[in-house]
């Protein structure tokens, strides 16, 4: 084997040393920036959490389509909205020929129904004793909203708007609720 010169030995040794140092630095650097394993969250005390029931998108769609179909059978052009327990819109269906105001009115009726766990026609009667109730943002105290409940607690609201009367709107909203039973 050929003997390397002193200069070649120093250059080769320096290159090897530099490569080893770079690899070690990279490993140390990578380990230093790697996130630590998350600590296990402490378990909640018994009685500090609750389980809630929510309407699925499939169920909301089934209810909205039932309400829309009931309105179509009576030649009514409506919009139907379904909101979750928190009043967030799950879906809204605008029926063929429904007026431009029906979309928003249906959402507000659904929100109002789930907020008080009562049909909006009943809530409208309360305005005689509490007229400022109608000033709550996002609400609409006209017939056409129906709550959906599970185990006595509201889990959704269905609102219908677009017919000449709140009674018809509510009849169709109730058809949506009935489709969930």
């Amino acid at each position: 084997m050929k003997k390397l010169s002193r200069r070649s030995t120093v250059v080769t040794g320096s290159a090897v040393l530099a490569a080893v140092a770079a690899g070690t630095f990279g490993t140390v650097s990578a380990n230093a920036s790697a996130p630590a394993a998350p600590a296990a969250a402490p378990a909640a005390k018994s009685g500090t959490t609750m389980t809630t029931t929510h309407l699925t998108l499939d169920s909301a769609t089934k209810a909205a389509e039932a309400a829309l179909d009931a309105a179509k059978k009576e030649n009514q052009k409506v919009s139907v909205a379904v909101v979750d327990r928190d009043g967030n819109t799950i879906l809204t269906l605008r029926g063929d020929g429904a007026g431009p105001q029906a979309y928003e009115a249906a959402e507000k009726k659904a929100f109002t129904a789930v907020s008080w766990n009562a049909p909006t026609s009943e809530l409208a009667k309360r305005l005689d004793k509490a007229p400022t109730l109608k000033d709550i943002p996002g609400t609409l105290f006209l017939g056409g909203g129906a709550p959906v409940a599970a185990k006595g607690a509201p889990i959704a609201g269905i609102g219908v708007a677009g017919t000449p009367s709140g009674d018809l709107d509510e009849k169709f909203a109730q058809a949506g609720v009935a489709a969930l039973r």
Side-chain angles (χ1 to χ4, degrees), residues 8 59 91 158:
S8 295
S59 294
L91 68 89
I158 300 173

Side-chain angles (χ1 to χ4, degrees), residues 60 63-64 67-68 78-84 88-94 102-111 144-146 148 156-161 173:
L68 198 58
V78 301
S79 286
V80 180
V82 181
V83 301
D84 67 11
N88 299 309
T89 302
I90 298 173
L91 68 89
T92 304
L93 298 177
R94 184 177 179 272
Y103 186 89
E104 184 177 349
E107 286 182 333
K108 288 183 176 186
K109 289 178 182 184
F111 175 81
V148 177
I158 300 173
V160 176

Side-chain angles (χ1 to χ4, degrees), residues 10 12 21 63 67 78 98-99 103 113 128 130 138 150 155 157 163 170:
V10 170
T12 304
V78 301
Y103 186 89
D128 292 339
I155 61 166
T163 72
E170 198 158 308

Side-chain angles (χ1 to χ4, degrees), residues 16-55:
V16 169
L17 184 59
V20 169
T24 301
F25 177 75
T27 302
V28 170
S29 178
N31 286 338
S33 64
K45 290 181 184 177
S46 178
T48 61
T49 63
M50 66 180 185
T51 302
T52 59
T53 303
H54 297 272
L55 198 62

Side-chain angles (χ1 to χ4, degrees), residues 88-161:
N88 299 309
T89 302
I90 298 173
L91 68 89
T92 304
L93 298 177
R94 184 177 179 272
D96 294 336
Q101 77 289 353
Y103 186 89
E104 184 177 349
E107 286 182 333
K108 288 183 176 186
K109 289 178 182 184
F111 175 81
T112 305
V114 75
S115 295
W116 279 275
N117 195 24
T120 53
S121 60
E122 288 181 25
L123 296 170
K125 295 172 190 172
R126 296 181 190 177
L127 293 177
D128 292 339
K129 294 180 182 173
T132 57
L133 207 55
K134 69 182 181 318
D135 297 333
I136 297 172
T139 59
L140 187 58
F141 292 87
L142 298 173
V148 177
K151 297 179 185 174
I155 61 166
I158 300 173
V160 176

